[in-house]
Amino acid sequence: PRRPGTFDLPGGDVELGEDLTQSITREIKEEAGIVVSEVILFDAVGFVSKSGEYLTTLGYEARVPQDTEVTLSYEHDKYEWIGREEFLKRESTDRIKRFLEKIPIER
């Protein structure tokens, strides 16, 4: 796990040959045990990592069924259902905060 003690969102690497939407759907299922629907790409950001690699991070919006039970993977130790404004007050990365600021208005 990276950045212990900070707040994060489910995500990860796209596997070779994997569709991008399938990738984020898989990552959310692996990390939180949640099956999402209506997955929509809304932002992308490119950056150079500390190791010098150029990476692209994609921001998605998805629907979570009501009364969903969360089952965390080893990558996370707790979770909270909170709104965008509350999350933006927490310690996280600038990239994640950018996505939260750009996500379409909550419905």
Side-chain angles (χ1 to χ4, degrees):
R2 293 179 253 162
R3 299 182 320 275
T6 62
F7 287 84
D8 198 1
L9 300 172
D13 296 331
V14 178
E15 294 178 358
L16 184 62
E18 187 174 38
D19 174 82
L20 297 176
T21 301
Q22 289 173 333
S23 175
I24 192 59
T25 301
R26 175 185 51 76
E27 287 287 349
I28 294 168
K29 174 73 171 145
E30 288 175 2
E31 294 186 22
I34 300 171
V35 177
V36 296
S37 62
E38 300 180 45
V39 179
I40 300 168
L41 175 69
F42 69 86
D43 195 18
V45 61
F47 63 98
V48 177
S49 70
K50 291 179 183 177
S51 65
E53 293 179 286
Y54 184 79
L55 302 173
T56 303
T57 302
L58 305 174
Y60 286 90
E61 174 185 13
R63 296 281 172 226
V64 176
Q66 283 189 319
D67 302 323
T68 295
E69 186 173 322
V70 176
T71 305
L72 295 177
S73 72
Y74 74 94
E75 295 175 86
H76 306 282
D77 61 0
K78 65 180 180 176
Y79 75 94
E80 292 178 81
W81 291 108
I82 59 175
R84 173 189 3 218
E85 295 307 316
E86 179 61 29
F87 194 106
L88 289 170
K89 296 175 187 174
R90 310 285 177 98
E91 185 176 341
S92 188
T93 67
D94 290 341
R95 196 167 0 109
I96 290 172
K97 288 184 177 189
R98 169 193 159 128
F99 287 147
L100 289 172
E101 290 167 348
K102 288 188 162 209
I103 197 166
I105 301 299
E106 297 175 33
R107 297 169 225 218

